[in-house]
C-alpha cells in the first residue's frame, strides 16, 4: 500500500514502465504547485497503449488503496491525465507530448532520479 507521496510515485513509475511507457520523467512540484507533489510524464506510440498504461496505473493505485480523484482524456486517447492526489500522471502520444512540452513548462521543477525504477 502506497502511504507516502514517494511510494505512490514509485508505484506509478514502475507500473507505467511495466506497460511500456516511454521516456518517463518525474518532476518534483513541491513549492511550485499546490496541485501535487509530483508530476509524472510519459508517452506511448499509439492510443491503445496510452489507454492500457492509464488503466494499469489506475488499477495499481486502486490495489494500493488510492482512488483517482480525476481521469481526463480517455475518450481522445492522445493525452490521459490521472490525478492521484500527491501524484499526477500524464501519458501522451509523442506528438502531443512535444506540442504541450510540460517538461519545458515546469523547467524549474527538479527531476527525480528514476533509474532504480525503470528499465532502459
Amino acid at each position: 500500500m502506497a502511504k507516502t507521496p514517494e511510494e505512490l510515485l514509485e508505484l506509478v513509475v514502475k507500473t507505467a514502465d511495466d506497460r511500456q511507457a516511454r521516456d518517463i520523467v518525474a518532476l518534483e512540484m513541491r513549492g511550485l504547485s499546490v496541485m501535487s507533489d509530483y508530476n509524472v510524464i510519459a508517452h506511448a506510440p499509439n492510443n491503445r497503449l496510452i489507454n492500457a498504461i492509464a488503466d494499469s496505473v489506475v488499477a495499481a493505485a486502486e490495489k494500493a488503496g488510492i482512488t483517482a480523484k480525476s481521469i481526463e482524456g480517455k475518450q481522445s486517447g492522445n493525452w490521459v491525465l490521472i490525478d492521484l492526489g500527491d501524484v499526477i500522471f500524464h501519458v501522451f502520444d509523442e506528438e502531443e507530448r512535444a506540442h504541450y512540452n510540460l517538461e519545458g513548462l515546469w523547467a524549474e521543477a527538479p527531476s527525480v532520479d528514476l533509474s532504480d525504477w525503470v528499465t532502459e
Side-chain angles (χ1 to χ4, degrees):
M1 180 173 210
K3 297 178 181 162
T4 68
E6 291 73 23
E7 289 170 330
L8 179 57
L9 173 64
E10 180 178 0
L11 175 74
V12 168
V13 169
K14 284 182 172 181
T15 301
D17 185 56
D18 286 347
R19 293 297 291 173
Q20 301 176 356
R22 297 183 179 168
D23 297 324
I24 302 169
V25 173
L27 303 174
E28 185 173 346
M29 302 302 292
R30 291 180 180 132
L32 300 171
S33 171
V34 296
M35 301 299 291
S36 67
D37 288 341
Y38 298 99
N39 277 342
V40 178
I41 305 161
H43 70 267
N46 59 61
N47 293 359
R48 200 156 114 193
L49 189 53
I50 289 169
N51 282 319
I53 292 165
D55 290 344
S56 293
V57 167
V58 170
E62 287 176 352
K63 187 175 178 182
I66 297 160
T67 302
K69 297 176 185 294
S70 169
I71 302 169
E72 304 293 332
K74 288 268 301 168
Q75 280 63 34
S76 76
N78 295 337
W79 176 6
V80 178
L81 179 150
I82 303 168
D83 182 351
L84 297 167
D86 294 324
V87 175
I88 296 177
F89 177 64
H90 306 263
V91 59
F92 295 89
D93 70 23
E94 198 165 359
E95 185 176 311
E96 291 289 302
R97 183 177 183 172
H99 175 77
Y100 286 101
N101 188 23
L102 296 184
E103 293 97 322
L105 178 66
W106 297 316
E108 68 277 7
S111 291
V112 178
D113 179 8
L114 305 178
S115 59
D116 290 340
W117 300 338
V118 298
T119 56
E120 290 300 320

